[in-house]
């Protein structure tokens, strides 16, 4: 009898606290900020700073921010990510005779890589396609997720075949989806505004050491501007979410936005292409913090364009990524 192939899809994202409360945020930040992929400082220097300063002060502050954006069903990153996962699973339900099981796992916190990989194995998947929910590869995010996945399989006696997607920064459906979102926003507000593309930053040193993240972000911005037919003066590329004292990728979002009104750019839209799913960084840091700063410095209109989340365009993009990267399994 011909045995049918058993495929599975594992979508991976960063992670989020289990609750918007100080102890849960501390647990999440401890795990996240202890990863050498994220903070590569000498542990003899970093551990005391992390334990004595950051994990003492930051969790209570950040818990308040999570409370501002928390949804009835949980953290936006998890809730909106699950909605996308469910749409993808429904679309793949009729593939082969048994469908293709889909799980989402977080590098830090829950659902863990181990639990998601076990669920896929229990569903019979022996070939797993891993889809990073990070459009632009970075060692701090994508590679950190892959590290965790490999460690989670350490105890697995029968290793599944793995196919790892690097990123999709220049995928035509991703660029089209971002451009569509911008056009939809312009139509809704009845005006085209200066477009700010704001990416989560990383320390500049990581890029100097070979992390391709900045180049991949630039690829995305250039292609989106091209798709929208924007001239150089109609868009700006910046990095947000600086953390710690060392130099991060520039231009910095806050400094750039503060200086825009006096240069005559008073009405803007901000899109954050590095976030496939809205989360604390987009819903609070961009929408509220950057928006307030821009207005305090003379800005007249500021609107954030939501992440692609579980939109039809995002669904089409992920289905295409899955289709393209499993072709060799179905031939
Ligand atoms: C400490 C250094 C950090 C690096 C490097 C970094 C890179 C990076 N992060 C994302 C995506 C997300 N980051 C999120 C939250 C977040 N990020 C950092 C720090 C670094 N990120 C912290 C400390 C936090 C927690 C919040 C805070 O304390 O300010 C999230 C959201 C999680 C959520 O629950 O909503 C995402 C997503 C990318 C894409 C990236 C580099 C490419
Ligand atoms: Fe981050
Ligand atoms: Fe932040």
């Amino acid at each position: 009898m011909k045995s049918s192939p058993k495929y599975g899809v594992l979508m991976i994202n960063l992670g989020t606290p289990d609750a918007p409360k100080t102890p849960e945020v501390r647990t999440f930040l401890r795990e996240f900020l202890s990863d050498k992929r994220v903070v590569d400082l000498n542990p003899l220097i970093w551990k005391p700073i992390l334990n004595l300063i950051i994990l003492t002060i930051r969790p209570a502050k950040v818990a308040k921010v999570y409370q501002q954006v928390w949804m009835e069903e949980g953290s936006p990153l998890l809730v909106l990510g699950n909605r996308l996962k469910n749409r993808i699973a429904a679309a793949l339900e009729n593939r082969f005779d048994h469908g293709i099981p889909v799980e989402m796992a977080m590098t830090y916190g829950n659902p863990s890589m181990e639990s998601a990989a076990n669920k896929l194995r229990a569903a019979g998947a022996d070939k797993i396609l891993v889809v990073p929910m990070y459009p632009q590869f970075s060692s701090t995010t994508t590679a950190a997720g892959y590290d965790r996945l490999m460690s989670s399989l350490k105890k697995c006696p029968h290793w599944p075949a793995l196919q790892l997607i690097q990123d999709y920064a220049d995928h035509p459906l991703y660029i089209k989806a971002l451009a569509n979102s911008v056009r939809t926003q312009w139509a809704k507000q009845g005006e085209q505004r200066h477009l700010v593309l704001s990416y989560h930053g990383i320390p500049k040193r990581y890029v100097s050491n070979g992390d391709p993240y900045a180049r991949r972000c630039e690829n995305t911005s250039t292609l989106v501007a091209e798709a929208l037919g924007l001239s150089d003066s109609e868009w700006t590329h910046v990095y947000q979410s600086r953390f710690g004292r060392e130099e991060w990728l520039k231009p910095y979002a806050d400094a750039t936005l503060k200086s825009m009104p006096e240069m005559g750019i008073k009405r803007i839209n901000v899109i954050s292409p590095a976030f496939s799913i809205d989360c604390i960084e987009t819903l609070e840091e961009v929408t509220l913090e950057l928006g307030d700063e821009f207005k305090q410095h003379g800005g007249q209109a500021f609107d954030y364009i939501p992440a692609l989340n579980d939109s039809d365009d995002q669904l089409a993009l992920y289905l295409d990524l899955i289709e393209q990267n499993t072709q060799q399994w179905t031939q």
Side-chain angles (χ1 to χ4, degrees), residues 266-285:
K266 297 192 175 174
R267 306 179 72 78
I268 63 173
N269 285 118
V270 179
I271 192 164
S272 288
F275 298 92
S276 56
I277 303 290
D278 275 313
C279 62
I280 190 174
E281 303 292 299
T282 58
L283 299 171
E284 198 277 339
E285 189 159 331

mmCIF file with all atom_site columns, all heavy atoms in Angstrom, residues 266-285:
data_model
loop_
_atom_site.group_PDB
_atom_site.id
_atom_site.type_symbol
_atom_site.label_atom_id
_atom_site.label_alt_id
_atom_site.label_comp_id
_atom_site.label_asym_id
_atom_site.label_entity_id
_atom_site.label_seq_id
_atom_site.pdbx_PDB_ins_code
_atom_site.Cartn_x
_atom_site.Cartn_y
_atom_site.Cartn_z
_atom_site.occupancy
_atom_site.B_iso_or_equiv
_atom_site.pdbx_formal_charge
_atom_site.auth_seq_id
_atom_site.auth_comp_id
_atom_site.auth_asym_id
_atom_site.auth_atom_id
_atom_site.pdbx_PDB_model_num
ATOM 1   N N   . LYS A 1 266 ? 4.428  67.141 8.077  1.00 0.00 ? 266 LYS A N   1
ATOM 2   C CA  . LYS A 1 266 ? 3.553  67.224 9.250  1.00 0.00 ? 266 LYS A CA  1
ATOM 3   C C   . LYS A 1 266 ? 2.442  66.191 9.271  1.00 0.00 ? 266 LYS A C   1
ATOM 4   O O   . LYS A 1 266 ? 1.735  66.050 10.255 1.00 0.00 ? 266 LYS A O   1
ATOM 5   C CB  . LYS A 1 266 ? 2.935  68.624 9.322  1.00 0.00 ? 266 LYS A CB  1
ATOM 6   C CG  . LYS A 1 266 ? 3.998  69.695 9.507  1.00 0.00 ? 266 LYS A CG  1
ATOM 7   C CD  . LYS A 1 266 ? 3.418  71.023 9.859  1.00 0.00 ? 266 LYS A CD  1
ATOM 8   C CE  . LYS A 1 266 ? 4.586  71.966 10.140 1.00 0.00 ? 266 LYS A CE  1
ATOM 9   N NZ  . LYS A 1 266 ? 4.237  73.301 10.368 1.00 0.00 ? 266 LYS A NZ  1
ATOM 10  N N   . ARG A 1 267 ? 2.277  65.497 8.161  1.00 0.00 ? 267 ARG A N   1
ATOM 11  C CA  . ARG A 1 267 ? 1.200  64.492 8.090  1.00 0.00 ? 267 ARG A CA  1
ATOM 12  C C   . ARG A 1 267 ? 1.826  63.183 7.610  1.00 0.00 ? 267 ARG A C   1
ATOM 13  O O   . ARG A 1 267 ? 2.324  63.108 6.487  1.00 0.00 ? 267 ARG A O   1
ATOM 14  C CB  . ARG A 1 267 ? 0.094  64.959 7.130  1.00 0.00 ? 267 ARG A CB  1
ATOM 15  C CG  . ARG A 1 267 ? -0.443 66.352 7.489  1.00 0.00 ? 267 ARG A CG  1
ATOM 16  C CD  . ARG A 1 267 ? -1.520 66.802 6.527  1.00 0.00 ? 267 ARG A CD  1
ATOM 17  N NE  . ARG A 1 267 ? -2.764 66.064 6.713  1.00 0.00 ? 267 ARG A NE  1
ATOM 18  C CZ  . ARG A 1 267 ? -3.636 66.287 7.683  1.00 0.00 ? 267 ARG A CZ  1
ATOM 19  N NH1 . ARG A 1 267 ? -3.412 67.237 8.581  1.00 0.00 ? 267 ARG A NH1 1
ATOM 20  N NH2 . ARG A 1 267 ? -4.734 65.580 7.774  1.00 0.00 ? 267 ARG A NH2 1
ATOM 21  N N   . ILE A 1 268 ? 1.801  62.171 8.497  1.00 0.00 ? 268 ILE A N   1
ATOM 22  C CA  . ILE A 1 268 ? 2.493  60.922 8.140  1.00 0.00 ? 268 ILE A CA  1
ATOM 23  C C   . ILE A 1 268 ? 1.655  59.669 8.414  1.00 0.00 ? 268 ILE A C   1
ATOM 24  O O   . ILE A 1 268 ? 0.717  59.689 9.209  1.00 0.00 ? 268 ILE A O   1
ATOM 25  C CB  . ILE A 1 268 ? 3.846  60.776 8.889  1.00 0.00 ? 268 ILE A CB  1
ATOM 26  C CG1 . ILE A 1 268 ? 3.643  60.701 10.411 1.00 0.00 ? 268 ILE A CG1 1
ATOM 27  C CG2 . ILE A 1 268 ? 4.803  61.897 8.527  1.00 0.00 ? 268 ILE A CG2 1
ATOM 28  C CD1 . ILE A 1 268 ? 4.927  60.375 11.180 1.00 0.00 ? 268 ILE A CD1 1
ATOM 29  N N   . ASN A 1 269 ? 2.041  58.606 7.740  1.00 0.00 ? 269 ASN A N   1
ATOM 30  C CA  . ASN A 1 269 ? 1.583  57.255 8.078  1.00 0.00 ? 269 ASN A CA  1
ATOM 31  C C   . ASN A 1 269 ? 2.820  56.457 8.428  1.00 0.00 ? 269 ASN A C   1
ATOM 32  O O   . ASN A 1 269 ? 3.867  56.617 7.801  1.00 0.00 ? 269 ASN A O   1
ATOM 33  C CB  . ASN A 1 269 ? 0.869  56.593 6.898  1.00 0.00 ? 269 ASN A CB  1
ATOM 34  C CG  . ASN A 1 269 ? -0.517 57.151 6.686  1.00 0.00 ? 269 ASN A CG  1
ATOM 35  O OD1 . ASN A 1 269 ? -0.827 57.722 5.644  1.00 0.00 ? 269 ASN A OD1 1
ATOM 36  N ND2 . ASN A 1 269 ? -1.376 57.002 7.683  1.00 0.00 ? 269 ASN A ND2 1
ATOM 37  N N   . VAL A 1 270 ? 2.685  55.605 9.440  1.00 0.00 ? 270 VAL A N   1
ATOM 38  C CA  . VAL A 1 270 ? 3.799  54.736 9.826  1.00 0.00 ? 270 VAL A CA  1
ATOM 39  C C   . VAL A 1 270 ? 3.384  53.282 9.632  1.00 0.00 ? 270 VAL A C   1
ATOM 40  O O   . VAL A 1 270 ? 2.309  52.872 10.067 1.00 0.00 ? 270 VAL A O   1
ATOM 41  C CB  . VAL A 1 270 ? 4.212  54.961 11.299 1.00 0.00 ? 270 VAL A CB  1
ATOM 42  C CG1 . VAL A 1 270 ? 5.357  54.037 11.679 1.00 0.00 ? 270 VAL A CG1 1
ATOM 43  C CG2 . VAL A 1 270 ? 4.611  56.408 11.522 1.00 0.00 ? 270 VAL A CG2 1
ATOM 44  N N   . ILE A 1 271 ? 4.244  52.517 8.971  1.00 0.00 ? 271 ILE A N   1
ATOM 45  C CA  . ILE A 1 271 ? 4.025  51.079 8.826  1.00 0.00 ? 271 ILE A CA  1
ATOM 46  C C   . ILE A 1 271 ? 5.256  50.388 9.404  1.00 0.00 ? 271 ILE A C   1
ATOM 47  O O   . ILE A 1 271 ? 6.371  50.918 9.314  1.00 0.00 ? 271 ILE A O   1
ATOM 48  C CB  . ILE A 1 271 ? 3.762  50.704 7.342  1.00 0.00 ? 271 ILE A CB  1
ATOM 49  C CG1 . ILE A 1 271 ? 3.245  49.277 7.211  1.00 0.00 ? 271 ILE A CG1 1
ATOM 50  C CG2 . ILE A 1 271 ? 4.990  50.928 6.453  1.00 0.00 ? 271 ILE A CG2 1
ATOM 51  C CD1 . ILE A 1 271 ? 2.614  48.968 5.859  1.00 0.00 ? 271 ILE A CD1 1
ATOM 52  N N   . SER A 1 272 ? 5.065  49.228 10.034 1.00 0.00 ? 272 SER A N   1
ATOM 53  C CA  . SER A 1 272 ? 6.192  48.521 10.673 1.00 0.00 ? 272 SER A CA  1
ATOM 54  C C   . SER A 1 272 ? 6.365  47.151 10.037 1.00 0.00 ? 272 SER A C   1
ATOM 55  O O   . SER A 1 272 ? 5.896  46.137 10.586 1.00 0.00 ? 272 SER A O   1
ATOM 56  C CB  . SER A 1 272 ? 5.954  48.372 12.174 1.00 0.00 ? 272 SER A CB  1
ATOM 57  O OG  . SER A 1 272 ? 6.094  49.606 12.808 1.00 0.00 ? 272 SER A OG  1
ATOM 58  N N   . PRO A 1 273 ? 7.052  47.092 8.887  1.00 0.00 ? 273 PRO A N   1
ATOM 59  C CA  . PRO A 1 273 ? 7.087  45.845 8.108  1.00 0.00 ? 273 PRO A CA  1
ATOM 60  C C   . PRO A 1 273 ? 7.776  44.670 8.797  1.00 0.00 ? 273 PRO A C   1
ATOM 61  O O   . PRO A 1 273 ? 7.554  43.528 8.399  1.00 0.00 ? 273 PRO A O   1
ATOM 62  C CB  . PRO A 1 273 ? 7.854  46.248 6.840  1.00 0.00 ? 273 PRO A CB  1
ATOM 63  C CG  . PRO A 1 273 ? 7.751  47.744 6.774  1.00 0.00 ? 273 PRO A CG  1
ATOM 64  C CD  . PRO A 1 273 ? 7.728  48.189 8.199  1.00 0.00 ? 273 PRO A CD  1
ATOM 65  N N   . ALA A 1 274 ? 8.611  44.915 9.816  1.00 0.00 ? 274 ALA A N   1
ATOM 66  C CA  . ALA A 1 274 ? 9.320  43.794 10.460 1.00 0.00 ? 274 ALA A CA  1
ATOM 67  C C   . ALA A 1 274 ? 8.402  42.982 11.373 1.00 0.00 ? 274 ALA A C   1
ATOM 68  O O   . ALA A 1 274 ? 8.784  41.918 11.842 1.00 0.00 ? 274 ALA A O   1
ATOM 69  C CB  . ALA A 1 274 ? 10.507 44.312 11.262 1.00 0.00 ? 274 ALA A CB  1
ATOM 70  N N   . PHE A 1 275 ? 7.208  43.505 11.637 1.00 0.00 ? 275 PHE A N   1
ATOM 71  C CA  . PHE A 1 275 ? 6.268  42.799 12.503 1.00 0.00 ? 275 PHE A CA  1
ATOM 72  C C   . PHE A 1 275 ? 5.170  42.182 11.652 1.00 0.00 ? 275 PHE A C   1
ATOM 73  O O   . PHE A 1 275 ? 4.353  42.898 11.073 1.00 0.00 ? 275 PHE A O   1
ATOM 74  C CB  . PHE A 1 275 ? 5.654  43.752 13.521 1.00 0.00 ? 275 PHE A CB  1
ATOM 75  C CG  . PHE A 1 275 ? 6.677  44.363 14.442 1.00 0.00 ? 275 PHE A CG  1
ATOM 76  C CD1 . PHE A 1 275 ? 7.276  45.571 14.135 1.00 0.00 ? 275 PHE A CD1 1
ATOM 77  C CD2 . PHE A 1 275 ? 7.076  43.706 15.597 1.00 0.00 ? 275 PHE A CD2 1
ATOM 78  C CE1 . PHE A 1 275 ? 8.232  46.129 14.964 1.00 0.00 ? 275 PHE A CE1 1
ATOM 79  C CE2 . PHE A 1 275 ? 8.035  44.249 16.433 1.00 0.00 ? 275 PHE A CE2 1
ATOM 80  C CZ  . PHE A 1 275 ? 8.622  45.462 16.118 1.00 0.00 ? 275 PHE A CZ  1
ATOM 81  N N   . SER A 1 276 ? 5.158  40.858 11.567 1.00 0.00 ? 276 SER A N   1
ATOM 82  C CA  . SER A 1 276 ? 4.091  40.204 10.800 1.00 0.00 ? 276 SER A CA  1
ATOM 83  C C   . SER A 1 276 ? 2.774  40.316 11.566 1.00 0.00 ? 276 SER A C   1
ATOM 84  O O   . SER A 1 276 ? 1.705  40.281 10.970 1.00 0.00 ? 276 SER A O   1
ATOM 85  C CB  . SER A 1 276 ? 4.450  38.737 10.571 1.00 0.00 ? 276 SER A CB  1
ATOM 86  O OG  . SER A 1 276 ? 4.693  38.095 11.802 1.00 0.00 ? 276 SER A OG  1
ATOM 87  N N   . ILE A 1 277 ? 2.877  40.438 12.867 1.00 0.00 ? 277 ILE A N   1
ATOM 88  C CA  . ILE A 1 277 ? 1.710  40.469 13.747 1.00 0.00 ? 277 ILE A CA  1
ATOM 89  C C   . ILE A 1 277 ? 1.837  41.665 14.690 1.00 0.00 ? 277 ILE A C   1
ATOM 90  O O   . ILE A 1 277 ? 2.928  41.920 15.222 1.00 0.00 ? 277 ILE A O   1
ATOM 91  C CB  . ILE A 1 277 ? 1.660  39.166 14.600 1.00 0.00 ? 277 ILE A CB  1
ATOM 92  C CG1 . ILE A 1 277 ? 1.631  37.905 13.706 1.00 0.00 ? 277 ILE A CG1 1
ATOM 93  C CG2 . ILE A 1 277 ? 0.500  39.190 15.587 1.00 0.00 ? 277 ILE A CG2 1
ATOM 94  C CD1 . ILE A 1 277 ? 0.362  37.666 12.925 1.00 0.00 ? 277 ILE A CD1 1
ATOM 95  N N   . ASP A 1 278 ? 0.751  42.377 14.916 1.00 0.00 ? 278 ASP A N   1
ATOM 96  C CA  . ASP A 1 278 ? 0.816  43.507 15.844 1.00 0.00 ? 278 ASP A CA  1
ATOM 97  C C   . ASP A 1 278 ? 1.089  43.027 17.261 1.00 0.00 ? 278 ASP A C   1
ATOM 98  O O   . ASP A 1 278 ? 0.651  41.955 17.669 1.00 0.00 ? 278 ASP A O   1
ATOM 99  C CB  . ASP A 1 278 ? -0.499 44.312 15.785 1.00 0.00 ? 278 ASP A CB  1
ATOM 100 C CG  . ASP A 1 278 ? -0.460 45.324 14.644 1.00 0.00 ? 278 ASP A CG  1
ATOM 101 O OD1 . ASP A 1 278 ? 0.567  46.036 14.536 1.00 0.00 ? 278 ASP A OD1 1
ATOM 102 O OD2 . ASP A 1 278 ? -1.417 45.379 13.865 1.00 0.00 ? 278 ASP A OD2 1
ATOM 103 N N   . CYS A 1 279 ? 1.820  43.855 18.000 1.00 0.00 ? 279 CYS A N   1
ATOM 104 C CA  . CYS A 1 279 ? 2.255  43.457 19.335 1.00 0.00 ? 279 CYS A CA  1
ATOM 105 C C   . CYS A 1 279 ? 2.547  44.719 20.139 1.00 0.00 ? 279 CYS A C   1
ATOM 106 O O   . CYS A 1 279 ? 2.290  45.821 19.669 1.00 0.00 ? 279 CYS A O   1
ATOM 107 C CB  . CYS A 1 279 ? 3.505  42.584 19.217 1.00 0.00 ? 279 CYS A CB  1
ATOM 108 S SG  . CYS A 1 279 ? 4.885  43.466 18.452 1.00 0.00 ? 279 CYS A SG  1
ATOM 109 N N   . ILE A 1 280 ? 3.120  44.539 21.308 1.00 0.00 ? 280 ILE A N   1
ATOM 110 C CA  . ILE A 1 280 ? 3.390  45.684 22.175 1.00 0.00 ? 280 ILE A CA  1
ATOM 111 C C   . ILE A 1 280 ? 4.217  46.763 21.452 1.00 0.00 ? 280 ILE A C   1
ATOM 112 O O   . ILE A 1 280 ? 3.993  47.954 21.632 1.00 0.00 ? 280 ILE A O   1
ATOM 113 C CB  . ILE A 1 280 ? 4.092  45.199 23.479 1.00 0.00 ? 280 ILE A CB  1
ATOM 114 C CG1 . ILE A 1 280 ? 4.179  46.303 24.507 1.00 0.00 ? 280 ILE A CG1 1
ATOM 115 C CG2 . ILE A 1 280 ? 5.438  44.648 23.189 1.00 0.00 ? 280 ILE A CG2 1
ATOM 116 C CD1 . ILE A 1 280 ? 4.730  45.820 25.866 1.00 0.00 ? 280 ILE A CD1 1
ATOM 117 N N   . GLU A 1 281 ? 5.137  46.326 20.616 1.00 0.00 ? 281 GLU A N   1
ATOM 118 C CA  . GLU A 1 281 ? 6.039  47.269 19.943 1.00 0.00 ? 281 GLU A CA  1
ATOM 119 C C   . GLU A 1 281 ? 5.323  48.157 18.932 1.00 0.00 ? 281 GLU A C   1
ATOM 120 O O   . GLU A 1 281 ? 5.736  49.277 18.693 1.00 0.00 ? 281 GLU A O   1
ATOM 121 C CB  . GLU A 1 281 ? 7.158  46.518 19.216 1.00 0.00 ? 281 GLU A CB  1
ATOM 122 C CG  . GLU A 1 281 ? 7.982  45.614 20.104 1.00 0.00 ? 281 GLU A CG  1
ATOM 123 C CD  . GLU A 1 281 ? 8.821  46.386 21.098 1.00 0.00 ? 281 GLU A CD  1
ATOM 124 O OE1 . GLU A 1 281 ? 9.677  47.171 20.669 1.00 0.00 ? 281 GLU A OE1 1
ATOM 125 O OE2 . GLU A 1 281 ? 8.611  46.221 22.307 1.00 0.00 ? 281 GLU A OE2 1
ATOM 126 N N   . THR A 1 282 ? 4.288  47.626 18.293 1.00 0.00 ? 282 THR A N   1
ATOM 127 C CA  . THR A 1 282 ? 3.575  48.431 17.291 1.00 0.00 ? 282 THR A CA  1
ATOM 128 C C   . THR A 1 282 ? 2.381  49.138 17.933 1.00 0.00 ? 282 THR A C   1
ATOM 129 O O   . THR A 1 282 ? 2.121  50.300 17.661 1.00 0.00 ? 282 THR A O   1
ATOM 130 C CB  . THR A 1 282 ? 3.066  47.552 16.132 1.00 0.00 ? 282 THR A CB  1
ATOM 131 O OG1 . THR A 1 282 ? 2.208  46.537 16.655 1.00 0.00 ? 282 THR A OG1 1
ATOM 132 C CG2 . THR A 1 282 ? 4.207  46.913 15.385 1.00 0.00 ? 282 THR A CG2 1
ATOM 133 N N   . LEU A 1 283 ? 1.658  48.420 18.794 1.00 0.00 ? 283 LEU A N   1
ATOM 134 C CA  . LEU A 1 283 ? 0.420  48.978 19.340 1.00 0.00 ? 283 LEU A CA  1
ATOM 135 C C   . LEU A 1 283 ? 0.683  50.061 20.376 1.00 0.00 ? 283 LEU A C   1
ATOM 136 O O   . LEU A 1 283 ? -0.091 50.998 20.517 1.00 0.00 ? 283 LEU A O   1
ATOM 137 C CB  . LEU A 1 283 ? -0.435 47.861 19.963 1.00 0.00 ? 283 LEU A CB  1
ATOM 138 C CG  . LEU A 1 283 ? -0.854 46.769 18.970 1.00 0.00 ? 283 LEU A CG  1
ATOM 139 C CD1 . LEU A 1 283 ? -1.494 45.588 19.691 1.00 0.00 ? 283 LEU A CD1 1
ATOM 140 C CD2 . LEU A 1 283 ? -1.820 47.328 17.926 1.00 0.00 ? 283 LEU A CD2 1
ATOM 141 N N   . GLU A 1 284 ? 1.790  49.936 21.101 1.00 0.00 ? 284 GLU A N   1
ATOM 142 C CA  . GLU A 1 284 ? 2.093  50.967 22.099 1.00 0.00 ? 284 GLU A CA  1
ATOM 143 C C   . GLU A 1 284 ? 3.226  51.861 21.633 1.00 0.00 ? 284 GLU A C   1
ATOM 144 O O   . GLU A 1 284 ? 3.057  53.061 21.505 1.00 0.00 ? 284 GLU A O   1
ATOM 145 C CB  . GLU A 1 284 ? 2.431  50.308 23.448 1.00 0.00 ? 284 GLU A CB  1
ATOM 146 C CG  . GLU A 1 284 ? 2.333  51.268 24.617 1.00 0.00 ? 284 GLU A CG  1
ATOM 147 C CD  . GLU A 1 284 ? 3.581  52.122 24.821 1.00 0.00 ? 284 GLU A CD  1
ATOM 148 O OE1 . GLU A 1 284 ? 4.664  51.727 24.330 1.00 0.00 ? 284 GLU A OE1 1
ATOM 149 O OE2 . GLU A 1 284 ? 3.491  53.182 25.461 1.00 0.00 ? 284 GLU A OE2 1
ATOM 150 N N   . GLU A 1 285 ? 4.382  51.234 21.348 1.00 0.00 ? 285 GLU A N   1
ATOM 151 C CA  . GLU A 1 285 ? 5.564  52.062 21.068 1.00 0.00 ? 285 GLU A CA  1
ATOM 152 C C   . GLU A 1 285 ? 5.389  52.926 19.819 1.00 0.00 ? 285 GLU A C   1
ATOM 153 O O   . GLU A 1 285 ? 5.741  54.109 19.821 1.00 0.00 ? 285 GLU A O   1
ATOM 154 C CB  . GLU A 1 285 ? 6.797  51.167 20.914 1.00 0.00 ? 285 GLU A CB  1
ATOM 155 C CG  . GLU A 1 285 ? 8.057  51.982 20.840 1.00 0.00 ? 285 GLU A CG  1
ATOM 156 C CD  . GLU A 1 285 ? 9.292  51.190 21.192 1.00 0.00 ? 285 GLU A CD  1
ATOM 157 O OE1 . GLU A 1 285 ? 9.177  50.237 21.980 1.00 0.00 ? 285 GLU A OE1 1
ATOM 158 O OE2 . GLU A 1 285 ? 10.360 51.535 20.673 1.00 0.00 ? 285 GLU A OE2 1
#
